[in-house]
């Protein structure tokens, strides 16, 4: 992919951070609602919490998850970080892909069942708990950038440095 121009890259970075933080906040909200519905004995509170879970699940989970995945993928492919050059980017991509899939194909159906039954089981407490931990881990590695290059990244860096050293050589000057 062609490198992104600076204004586009910066705008996309702001969008990615905003939507990623939104996903984290949404998940914490789902966790609070899940805990509330699971632990209370008040039917009105359970009903309100499951309705709120349904609204978040229907309107926010899928778009926020997909926007996080897409903006991150475009940033990875359009910047020098690359998708498979650095272990932290590669890890972040796979964790985002997995959590997006789980959000769409497991969390949302679980929320739909809870809303239809008017009761929440422990899965709607566990899933947002694990997701929150995962998103916090993804945030940490985005900031710390640990682990260095992947095998592909080392190979690309080596070939780039070899090309630079060959190109930097100047022909001998003769008198």
């Amino acid at each position: 992919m062609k490198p992104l121009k600076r204004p586009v890259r910066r705008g996309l970075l702001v969008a990615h951070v905003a939507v990623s933080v939104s996903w984290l906040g949404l998940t914490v909200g789902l966790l609070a609602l899940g805990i509330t519905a699971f632990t209370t004995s008040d039917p009105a509170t359970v009903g309100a919490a499951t309705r709120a879970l349904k609204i978040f699940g229907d309107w926010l989970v899928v778009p926020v998850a997909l926007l996080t995945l897409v903006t991150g993928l475009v940033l990875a492919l359009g910047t020098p970080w690359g998708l498979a050059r650095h272990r932290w980017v590669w890890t972040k991509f796979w964790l985002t892909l997995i959590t997006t899939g789980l959000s769409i194909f497991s969390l949302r159906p679980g929320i739909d069942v809870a809303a239809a039954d008017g009761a929440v089981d422990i899965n709607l407490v566990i899933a947002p708990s694990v997701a929150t931990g995962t998103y916090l881990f993804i945030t940490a590695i985005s900031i710390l950038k640990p682990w260095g290059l992947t095998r592909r990244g080392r190979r690309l860096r080596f070939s780039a440095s070899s090309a630079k050293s060959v190109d930097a050589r100047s022909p001998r000057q003769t008198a």
Side-chain angles (χ1 to χ4, degrees), residues 2-171:
K2 191 171 147 182
L4 299 170
K5 302 251 187 241
R6 186 172 189 213
V8 173
R9 180 184 51 79
R10 293 176 102 191
L12 197 57
L13 181 61
V14 168
H16 179 67
V17 169
V19 76
S20 298
V21 169
S22 298
W23 199 12
L24 176 60
L26 173 62
T27 304
V28 170
L30 291 173
L31 176 59
L33 290 168
I35 289 171
T36 300
F38 185 69
T39 59
T40 189
S41 58
D42 178 29
T45 303
V46 172
T50 56
R51 283 192 305 278
L53 281 166
K54 178 87 169 117
I55 291 168
F56 284 171
D58 286 349
W59 291 96
L60 294 174
V61 169
V62 174
V64 168
L66 290 175
L67 280 171
T68 300
L69 180 65
V70 169
T71 56
L73 190 58
V74 172
L75 277 170
L77 295 173
T79 63
W81 289 109
L83 182 60
R85 291 182 187 173
H86 298 269
R87 285 188 180 107
W88 71 272
V89 177
W90 194 232
T91 302
K92 189 176 164 182
F93 166 72
W94 282 105
L95 287 173
T96 304
L97 186 64
I98 290 165
T99 54
T100 298
L102 288 173
S103 294
I104 294 169
F105 298 112
S106 181
L107 180 63
R108 269 201 71 222
I111 290 171
D112 291 342
V113 168
D117 295 346
V120 171
D121 66 359
I122 192 68
N123 291 331
L124 283 183
V125 175
I126 294 172
S129 298
V130 171
T132 299
T134 304
Y135 304 149
L136 289 172
F137 176 74
I138 289 171
T139 301
I141 65 173
S142 297
I143 294 167
L144 300 174
K145 298 172 181 45
W147 309 316
L149 296 170
T150 61
R151 184 178 298 146
R152 181 177 191 273
R154 285 191 301 273
R155 189 174 59 245
L156 289 172
R157 182 172 283 174
F158 178 75
S159 65
S161 66
S162 297
K164 284 182 184 176
S165 64
V166 169
D167 293 340
R169 293 183 194 149
S170 59

